[in-house]
Amino acid sequence: MRSNLFDASNHERQTTDRWTLQSSKMLRCSLQPQAPEIISAQGAMVAYQGQMDFSYQGSGGGMKLLKKMATGEGGNMMRTRGHGEIFYARAAEEIFLLQLEGDAITLNTKNMLAFDSSIQWDIRSLGGAGFMAGGLFNLLLQGHGMVAVTSDGPPMLLDCSQQPTFVDPQAAVCWSANLQPQIKNDFKMGSLIGRGSGESFQLGFHGPGFVVVQPSEGRPVVAAG
């Protein structure tokens, strides 16, 4: 049988690294019994080799549990341990790896693909609104380990230190954990574009740090019939 499907570029990349990009759209992780487990977005696993054990990643109780109940944020995560290789992807989106070295980063939950279980995580509200008041929420990751994030298209990195920066909440992938974004409600823009567009609300960033923006507001969610 002959096909360019069998080209060497499509073969699994053989490496001893724990985290490897098989391609720009697929992540390969190597798991060993003594190594930290991997926490991933539920449904992100596309294949694995070897012996794997999958379990639901619980909230850990306390405020995390209350936030999940109120928002659903961070509620669809899976914990994996085992011996072998596991592959992650999401809708052919671009994948990027971030190595945390005692620092922190804030993620849009829909852009979180996977991270080492050695990393501490929490759900945080934005704009000064409490979670019971219907505020926006994202995932704070801090500590030591690897994080994989996705972008629906080639991302753009914006420096927020020079001037105020405003981003559509659905287009923001991640940002410096020291930045405290505020919700800006632009009624004039909303009246021009139309109600329910979502673009009348932006996240405002200003200070030393960055925000990563994807060239998309995310894929539409189709309600089940």
Side-chain angles (χ1 to χ4, degrees):
M1 184 181 296
R2 297 182 181 180
S3 171
N4 57 3
L5 179 65
F6 305 122
D7 289 352
S9 60
N10 294 328
H11 290 189
E12 178 188 350
R13 293 190 178 182
Q14 300 298 328
T15 174
T16 57
D17 293 338
R18 174 171 163 84
W19 296 73
T20 305
L21 288 179
Q22 175 71 22
S23 70
S24 64
K25 302 176 187 298
M26 186 176 296
L27 172 66
R28 173 189 186 272
C29 294
S30 176
L31 278 171
Q32 302 293 332
Q34 297 79 18
E37 300 171 346
I38 292 178
I39 299 175
S40 66
Q42 187 174 344
M45 186 274 291
V46 295
Y48 68 90
Q49 295 177 308
Q51 301 295 322
M52 298 290 167
D53 182 27
F54 305 98
S55 61
Y56 166 71
Q57 167 58 45
S59 64
M63 291 301 292
K64 286 184 182 179
L65 177 60
L66 290 176
K67 291 173 185 177
K68 282 188 179 182
M69 292 173 62
T71 68
E73 297 287 357
N76 298 318
M77 294 195 292
M78 179 176 66
R79 179 179 289 263
T80 304
R81 61 177 178 270
H83 189 189
E85 297 79 39
I86 186 168
F87 300 86
Y88 297 104
R90 179 191 288 122
E93 294 181 351
E94 305 284 338
I95 301 174
F96 297 88
L97 297 178
L98 299 88
Q99 178 73 53
L100 295 187
E101 299 174 328
D103 42 6
I105 191 166
T106 305
L107 305 181
N108 190 327
T109 53
K110 66 184 180 64
N111 294 96
M112 188 280 289
L113 187 67
F115 58 90
D116 280 319
S117 62
S118 56
I119 294 176
Q120 297 178 332
W121 63 275
D122 194 14
I123 301 165
R124 295 291 176 88
S125 62
L126 297 180
F131 68 90
M132 294 305 290
L136 295 175
F137 297 84
N138 287 277
L139 194 64
L140 174 68
L141 301 178
Q142 57 187 340
H144 293 81
M146 193 73 77
V147 181
V149 300
T150 62
S151 174
D152 190 8
M156 174 176 62
L157 182 71
L158 294 178
D159 181 1
C160 304
S161 62
Q162 301 302 313
Q163 57 185 340
T165 302
F166 300 94
V167 180
D168 186 296
Q170 302 303 315
V173 174
C174 60
W175 55 88
S176 300
N178 61 285
L179 293 178
Q180 299 296 323
Q182 300 297 311
I183 299 174
K184 180 184 179 184
N185 188 349
D186 195 329
F187 290 102
K188 183 180 295 184
M189 180 180 290
S191 63
L192 291 174
I193 297 175
R195 292 185 178 181
S197 68
E199 291 168 333
S200 60
F201 294 90
Q202 303 96 43
L203 295 181
F205 299 88
H206 195 195
F210 64 86
V211 58
V212 176
V213 183
Q214 65 183 14
S216 167
E217 294 180 349
R219 302 175 186 273
V221 178
V222 179

